[in-house]
Each structure stands twice: as C-alpha cells, then as structure tokens.
Amino acid sequence: MAKNVIVTGGAKGIGRAVAVAFAKKGCNIVLNYRSTVPDELIKEIEGCGVECLAVQCDVSDFKQAELLVKASVEKFGTVDVLVNNAGITRDKLLLGMKEEDFDAVIATNLKGTFNMIKHTSKVMLKQKSGSIVNMSSVVGVAGNVGQANYAASKAGVIGLTKATAKELASRGITCNAIAPGFIKTSMTDVLSDSVKEGILANVPLKRLGEPEEVAELAVFLANAPYITGQVVNIDGGMIM
Ligand code: NDP
C-alpha cells in the first residue's frame, strides 16, 4: 500500500472521499484545497491514525503547484500517489460561452493536472516509483451539450494521462484516468430535476454514483502496478 498521497481539490465531493479512503488504508494525506477546508475533515483523516497536511493552492498556478509538491516532500519525504481531482465547470452552449469560461476550465482541469504532474514526476522519477490518478469524465470521452470547455479539458486529461504513462513507465511509475459519469456532489447538485431525470434515462443502473465509489477506484488504480495508461469509466453503464 502506498504511503504518502496528494489529493488536489480534497475539501469536498469526490476529492474528500478519495482523501478519506486513502487515510482509511493507512496513508498520510496532503489535502490540497483552494478556498477552505473544514476542520472536521482534517480530524476525520487524522482519526484514521495517519497524518494530514492541508495546503492551500490553486493548481492552475504553476508556481503554487510547485510549492504544494515542495511542502509535501518536506513533510513526508516521498510522494507515492498523486490524485489530480481538482476541477470546475462553467457550462454554457457554445454560442454563449465566453472566452474566459473556456480559459478558466482549461486552466484548472487540464493545465492544473499538467502542473501537478510536472512537479510531482520529478520526485517520483528520483524515487523510481509512484502512481498518478487523474480525474477525467465520461464527458471527455463522449462530449456533452453545453460543456465544450469541460469536455475539451477532460479529453485533454485523457491524452495527458496516456503520454505521461508512456514517458514514466520505464521508471515504474503508473498513470491512469478515471472517467466518472454523474456522481452526487455539489457539481451535480446544481442540476435541475428535469436535467437529472434526463441523465438517469441514459444510466442503465438508474442512479447517480456515490463519491465513495469513485474513491475506491482511485485507491485500486493507485495500487495496481501493472495497469497504466488506462481510462476507467465509473458511470452506471452510461458508456459501454
Ligand atoms: P466539487 O465541485 O464538489 O469539488 C471540486 C473541488 O475542486 C473543490 O474542493 C474545489 O475547491 C476544488 N478546486 C476547484 N478548482 C481548484 C483549483 N484551481 N485548485 C485547487 N482546487 C480546486 O466537484 P466534484 O467532487 O464533483 O468533482 C471532482 C472531480 O471529478 C472534478 O475534476 C470533476 O470534473 C470530476 N468529475 C465529477 C463528476 C460528477 O458528477 N460530480 C463527473 C465526472 C468528473 P473550491 O470549492 O475551494 O473551489
């Protein structure tokens, strides 16, 4: 089992579940957050008998991402797992989508993932070990109306995952992507009931996913040394 884990965007939603799942497996957690992190989450993680370092950082900022990785190494010595979870949406139909809506989503979802991989891979290359798990989306695989920016960012994450997997494989470092469907978090809470009904019509398992289900998959991929460069869908059967 990996020892020291960085989770970006770990204060809520899927990131929070990922951080808690790794802590329950005995891993120390570097909990990255952008705005705030609840004290009770840090206590919950520490209650698993591991250490938690909470670091504020906007992953879209190259320098801040570098400082996040530096702080992680200073505290724990190694980075065994990086989970690139931080992500945003700015949904609009193409005609109404502003340049800043496109740039903001690419900056966090794609460039943020690159920033974290860039700085962490130096540490992992020295260690000759490590696992990277990137949060993509079914929307990055299949596209979606009103999400041109988000779909482009998440498709980009898939390309980045595969290139990284190929570059780092010779040093024993794996890199995989998770493509969740619709998961119960604040990102999907904002959807209207009619939109949710429309989504569920295309989900064979007829329910939204739980953050904890995605977290279990992240733990599995981070501890699967012969799986790399893969995109694993967790979507109730939306894409087969
Ligand atoms: P939430 O909105 O619940 O949580 C996202 C987290 O990312 C927040 O803690 C947020 O912090 C943080 N974050 C956003 N931007 C940055 C940044 N620039 N730097 C650091 N942290 C940041 O989303 P989910 O938990 O639903 O989503 C998690 C990931 O899973 C995302 O990448 C998302 O795209 C992906 N995903 C989610 C799906 C779903 O149905 N929920 C489906 C497919 C993929 P703050 O609140 O402070 O801004």
Side-chain angles (χ1 to χ4, degrees), residues 16 19-20 23-24 29 31 37-54:
R16 178 187 175 121
V20 170
K24 283 183 176 163
I29 306 296
L31 190 74
V37 62
D39 281 346
E40 50 91 10
L41 172 58
I42 296 174
K43 286 197 187 107
E44 184 180 352
I45 291 171
E46 289 172 343
C48 298
V50 301
E51 290 186 70
C52 180
L53 176 70

Side-chain angles (χ1 to χ4, degrees), residues 14 34-35 58-59 85 135-136 150 154 181 183 185-186 188:
I14 295 172
R34 184 171 60 168
S35 52
D58 177 344
V59 295
N85 166 81
M135 219 48 83
S136 179
Y150 186 76
K154 294 299 188 179
I183 311 298
T185 68
S186 59
T188 47

